[in-house]
Amino acid sequence: MDIPGARALGLAAALATVTIWAAFMLVTRFAVQGSFTVEELLILRLVPGAVVMAPVMWRLGVMPKGLSWPRAAMLMVGASAVFPYVVSKGLAYAPASDGGALAPGMLPFWTALAAYALAGEVPGPRRRLGLAIILAGAMVVSLWQIFLGAADGAWKGHLMFLTGSGFWAVYSVIFRQSGLSPLRGLVIGLFWGTLLGSPLLLATGNVRFAGVSAGDIIVMTVIQSFVIGILAMFLFGYAVQRLGAAQTAAFGALTPILALLGGVAFLGETVTPLKVLGVSLVAAGVFLASGVLSKRPSALAS
């Protein structure tokens, strides 16, 4: 495949990924406000996907070889279990419009820190400005609600969004360095996330599906497992492989905007001018931090 063609496919994969991320925020917020628990959603995300992908797991193997245990552990459970659980838990406390800005929106900021710590990459002046704008926008989205008491308890969700985003950033850099294919990275995460995460989720006693219809379970399984858990993970891995971790993270500029619009349109969330300002700052910072305006791509994008 020619390089321009490969890059175009990477761009398409990144765009599709951030759209699915926004849908994840909206669907999960709707579900946890309804009849589902966070633990039930994660079970539906892991188990059906692992069953469907079992033949691929058998063929490709599920051990990330040649990595230290901390890095291997992040590939095994970071994106498949830890990230979705922490962010989903956050959506039980805070609106999807906040989650879009503070989880995928903050991803370039955390990715830059992870890339510096793990790969020694130093962002240029333009990217540093973008990262500073992202941080300022995130503070506008979050801190005004804490100080003004605009959303009681939302700060818990905000902390979880930021934590989950940090986990995802570390995962993306380690995945890029691992040399794994997107499909291999997907099955490794699904296998270990299901094997290690499912017993812990069941042990909480929150996986009962009480008051949830079979139809709702089927619909949520398709969305959480096959669209968000498998398709988005594969597309993200493919985009990282083609564009690099930092460049892929930059497409998160769309996610805060989509989550904000979707939260208003589908969930009836209240959006103030100050929140719009914060989300806009995050989106602008993400675009600037992407490096698309730079003449030289970042080291991780090469």
Side-chain angles (χ1 to χ4, degrees):
M1 180 179 294
D2 63 298
I3 294 177
R7 180 169 176 80
L9 290 176
L11 293 173
L15 289 172
T17 299
V18 298
T19 302
I20 296 174
W21 282 353
F24 162 67
M25 296 290 169
L26 300 173
V27 170
T28 302
R29 175 67 172 174
F30 175 79
V32 297
Q33 284 189 310
S35 303
F36 287 94
T37 67
V38 171
E39 291 78 11
E40 288 167 350
L41 292 178
L42 194 51
I43 283 287
L44 294 180
R45 180 185 179 118
L46 290 171
V47 176
V51 171
V52 169
M53 299 297 290
V56 184
M57 295 175 186
W58 179 265
R59 180 167 58 87
L60 296 181
V62 294
M63 285 300 300
K65 299 178 181 179
L67 298 173
S68 65
W69 271 108
R71 290 175 178 247
M74 182 58 71
L75 291 178
M76 292 158 74
V77 298
S80 60
V82 177
F83 170 81
Y85 179 79
V86 174
V87 173
S88 296
K89 205 70 173 177
L91 287 166
Y93 295 101
S97 52
D98 293 3
L102 299 178
M106 279 289 289
L107 187 56
F109 181 85
W110 296 127
T111 301
L113 291 181
Y116 175 75
L118 300 175
E121 179 187 358
V122 178
R126 188 178 283 117
R127 284 189 61 207
R128 288 199 296 268
L129 175 61
L131 297 173
I133 293 174
I134 291 171
L135 184 59
M139 293 176 68
V140 171
V141 169
S142 182
L143 292 182
W144 75 270
Q145 297 187 69
I146 296 174
F147 292 147
L148 300 180
D152 187 31
W155 64 271
K156 299 177 185 178
H158 294 171
L159 288 178
M160 292 177 184
F161 295 148
L162 294 172
T163 302
S165 181
F167 275 118
W168 187 275
V170 175
Y171 168 85
S172 67
V173 175
I174 292 176
F175 174 80
R176 170 69 173 175
Q177 293 177 329
S178 71
L180 294 172
S181 69
L183 185 59
R184 182 83 187 285
L186 170 62
V187 298
I188 287 174
L190 265 179
F191 176 83
W192 291 106
T194 304
L195 181 67
L196 301 177
S198 295
L200 296 176
L201 294 170
L202 294 172
T204 65
N206 294 328
V207 183
R208 297 186 299 271
F209 296 103
V212 181
S213 69
D216 288 341
I217 292 175
I218 292 172
V219 170
M220 201 56 63
T221 297
V222 172
I223 296 174
Q224 290 284 342
S225 184
F226 301 121
V227 176
I228 298 172
I230 294 179
L231 180 59
M233 278 294 297
F234 177 80
L235 291 173
F236 175 79
Y238 183 85
V240 169
Q241 189 181 57
R242 295 297 184 186
L243 305 177
Q247 292 278 338
T248 301
F251 281 85
L254 292 177
T255 306
I257 297 172
L258 293 174
L260 179 72
L261 296 175
V264 173
F266 300 113
L267 302 179
E269 294 181 357
T270 301
V271 176
T272 65
L274 201 56
K275 182 183 285 191
V276 172
L277 172 62
V279 170
S280 299
L281 285 173
V282 170
V286 168
F287 177 77
L288 192 59
S290 69
V292 296
L293 300 179
S294 301
K295 294 182 179 181
R296 288 195 315 169
S298 67
L300 285 178
S302 60

